[in-house]
Amino acid sequence: HSVETLGCTTTICSDKTGTLTKNEMTVRKIYADGKVFSISGAGYSPEGDFFLNDKIVRPDEFLGLDKALDCAIICNSAKLVKNDDRWQIIGDPTEGALLTAGAKAKKFKEAYEKEFEIIDEIPFDSERKRMTVIIKQSGSYTAFIKGAPDVLIKLCSYTDENGKIKPMNDKTKEEILSQVETFTRHALRVLATGYKKMPLETGIKENIIEKDIIFTGLFAMSDPPRKEAKIAIEKCKKAGIKVKMITGDHKLSAAAIAKELSLITDEANVISGEQIDATDDSSLKELVNRMVVFARVSPHHKLRIVRALKNNKEIVAMTGDGVNDAPALKEADIGVAMGITGTDVTKEVSDMVITDDNFASIVAAVEEGRGIYENIKKFVHFLLSCNAGEIMVMFFASIFGMPIPLLPAQILWINIVTDGFPALALGVDPVDPDNMKKPPREPDQPLIDMKTGKLIIFQGAIIALCTLLVFSYALFVENAGITKARTMAFFVLATSQLFHSFNLRSNIRSIFDLKFFSNAKLVYAVAFSFLLQVSVIYLPAAQNIFRTTVIENIDLLIVIVVSTIPLWVMEVLKLIVRRKKSDSGV
């Protein structure tokens, strides 16, 4: 069911981070003390310098910057480790980027953990969009918080500028939010940090801790888009598949990445979670068709988006990794769980798991799904057209008062041996590259539609005509006797079906345009079946079982030439179809 659904997917709703992007976070800029600091270096190696106005500076010279780094390191669940001279991250890449930025300032998490006791943690989730760690130090609690800027700044009442705590007024908030917008327009992902000191008797309560926070800084990180994702998106466009980016990132940051991936050209096709909340279900149904990027969304938004798309008769593939994504994955026609970052819950409810968390793998799966469905059609088409030919041979011979052209043992042999191996080989035919240049098929489209049914009957008729012509020639022209006539008919019916198997590789492309050995299994299957067919005619033991006789000289040439006719008839028809398409500009 999943493979069949994949083949007719019309919309892919994909996460951004790690799926459309590399998930290789690096802190590029920090806003603290009212200044923007740049950081050099790449990856997780703690090698790099801090710059202010293109001059190298020491982070500890700026108390606000120093405190922002403290917040980012302490409010962190990841670990920065060195294995075999290579620095690696254990945990979330975003948190790893923050630890790396701290390490470039000679600040390491292990040193902090020796100085204080961690009392409690309020973990990050996609609804809260923030994380808090509470430590006990010097007779008081200190809460360190990091999260989405638009969420955290609303909770801030003060700023820490070069060690001085100042009330945060509207002007300061506007300056900070303006800086957030500047970062996000450059495709940088932004996190805000802050802290709050409390006496021990305060108690640990979320509604008390996460308010009146002291703002320390903004961390702007780059996460470059995957090159293969851009190629895959272009392939989706040609295949008539819509791609929609769904992310928890800031609207402008998501839009910038979407532009790099050629998903959008402007921000008119971007909508935020707040706008979705303000939209009723009937309006959202119309809106999801136009919107391409959904930013600052939560899991319940994902569920609404999937339902709106399905109400528009879209076949939806939805990605997810967190526990809260499970309802949306279950609701989607194809739930796609992330193999690396995905939780066990999402993997359990999903229809498909992407082991490398790569969007290109999703598109490859859709392409494979289309290919498998096409191969099932080829398999069924081949067997039905061959059986139609056998039925017509017996039927028309009876209608015209001819002797029975085939014995039961001969028909059974053709069905089991001669038809079987090529049919199985067609079932593993390589995916046709043109499959991703066609629009998605309708999910209720039958495996054999009227057009295909007519073609099956036509092909069966050609096979039957060739068989009866040779049977009649041997019987009435050569007067060769019923045994030889049946042998020649038996040979033509079996061999013409072997040649016919090559027709089924493509409905339009010539066999000469296809690489002959691109499906080596079919070549070997046809060759093996042909040898078996020859053995039935020329081996004395087989002749006794199947009532056959030796075919020689001109008769052998006739049966071989006639057996190829179904192949040439279809080649001519394909040529006509290709010319019509070319003339119509398709």
Side-chain angles (χ1 to χ4, degrees), residues 256-294:
I257 291 292
K259 287 176 184 176
E260 288 189 45
L261 290 167
S262 299
L263 268 176
I264 60 173
T265 54
D266 54 49
E267 292 162 20
N269 302 111
V270 184
I271 188 173
S272 68
E274 288 184 356
Q275 291 171 292
I276 294 174
D277 287 331
T279 307
D280 59 32
D281 289 341
S282 59
S283 299
L284 186 62
K285 179 182 174 182
E286 187 275 329
L287 201 61
V288 291
N289 278 336
R290 293 188 290 107
M291 295 301 155
V292 178
V293 178
F294 299 82

Side-chain angles (χ1 to χ4, degrees), residues 533-546:
Q533 185 62 30
V534 170
S535 69
V536 166
I537 293 171
Y538 288 94
L539 293 179
Q543 288 175 350
N544 293 331
I545 297 171
F546 293 97

Side-chain angles (χ1 to χ4, degrees), residues 5 26 153 192 213 230 250 279 346 368 453 512:
T5 307
T26 303
I153 290 168
I213 297 168
K230 187 172 182 178
H250 191 280
T279 307
T346 54
E368 191 69 22
F512 302 105

Side-chain angles (χ1 to χ4, degrees), residues 347-553:
K347 293 176 184 177
E348 192 68 30
V349 302
S350 64
D351 302 285
M352 181 171 74
V353 178
I354 300 297
T355 56
D356 60 358
D357 292 9
N358 192 336
F359 178 80
S361 297
I362 302 173
V363 179
V366 172
E367 185 174 5
E368 191 69 22
R370 288 189 176 191
I372 290 172
Y373 183 81
E374 287 298 317
N375 286 349
I376 293 171
K377 285 185 68 174
K378 292 174 187 177
F379 179 93
V380 173
H381 186 150
F382 174 69
L383 290 179
L384 288 180
S385 57
C386 290
N387 279 274
E390 293 164 21
I391 291 169
M392 289 181 193
V393 166
M394 304 302 289
F395 177 76
F396 286 113
S398 176
I399 289 291
F400 293 117
M402 301 168 68
I404 297 175
L406 296 167
L407 297 174
Q410 294 171 342
I411 296 173
L412 187 64
W413 171 264
I414 291 172
N415 283 331
I416 294 176
V417 179
T418 314
D419 287 355
F421 295 118
L424 291 172
L426 283 170
V428 292
D429 203 36
V431 177
D432 187 346
D434 290 340
N435 269 350
M436 290 301 280
K437 296 178 182 177
K438 305 172 187 174
R441 62 178 176 80
E442 294 294 330
D444 56 352
Q445 179 183 326
L447 191 66
I448 302 298
D449 55 18
M450 186 63 70
K451 182 180 177 182
T452 306
K454 290 178 180 178
L455 183 60
I456 286 172
I457 293 171
F458 173 75
Q459 291 169 339
I462 296 298
I463 291 171
L465 179 62
C466 293
T467 304
L468 289 174
L469 281 174
V470 167
F471 182 69
S472 301
Y473 169 79
L475 198 61
F476 303 118
V477 177
E478 282 194 352
N479 294 317
I482 190 66
T483 301
K484 186 172 182 181
R486 281 177 179 158
T487 302
M488 292 176 68
F490 179 36
F491 189 94
V492 169
L493 182 60
T495 310
S496 63
Q497 291 178 7
L498 296 180
F499 282 108
H500 174 53
S501 66
F502 291 104
N503 288 327
L504 274 298
R505 291 200 63 194
S506 176
N507 289 331
I508 296 177
R509 297 170 69 188
S510 167
I511 62 165
F512 302 105
D513 293 333
L514 299 167
K515 292 181 180 178
F516 190 66
F517 278 96
S518 58
N519 186 353
K521 291 183 177 66
L522 179 60
V523 177
Y524 298 144
V526 168
F528 181 62
S529 297
F530 182 77
L531 289 174
L532 288 174
Q533 185 62 30
V534 170
S535 69
V536 166
I537 293 171
Y538 288 94
L539 293 179
Q543 288 175 350
N544 293 331
I545 297 171
F546 293 97
R547 309 282 183 86
T548 58
T549 188
V550 174
I551 305 173
E552 295 177 338
N553 305 327

Side-chain angles (χ1 to χ4, degrees), residues 217-259:
L218 302 171
F219 288 77
M221 291 163 275
S222 67
D223 183 16
R226 295 178 183 266
K227 291 181 180 178
E228 62 271 26
K230 187 172 182 178
I231 296 170
I233 288 169
E234 189 60 35
K235 186 180 287 188
C236 284
K237 289 179 180 178
K238 292 179 180 178
I241 300 172
K242 303 169 189 171
V243 179
K244 298 186 183 294
M245 178 197 291
I246 300 180
T247 177
D249 284 3
H250 191 280
K251 188 175 178 179
L252 294 177
S253 178
I257 291 292
K259 287 176 184 176

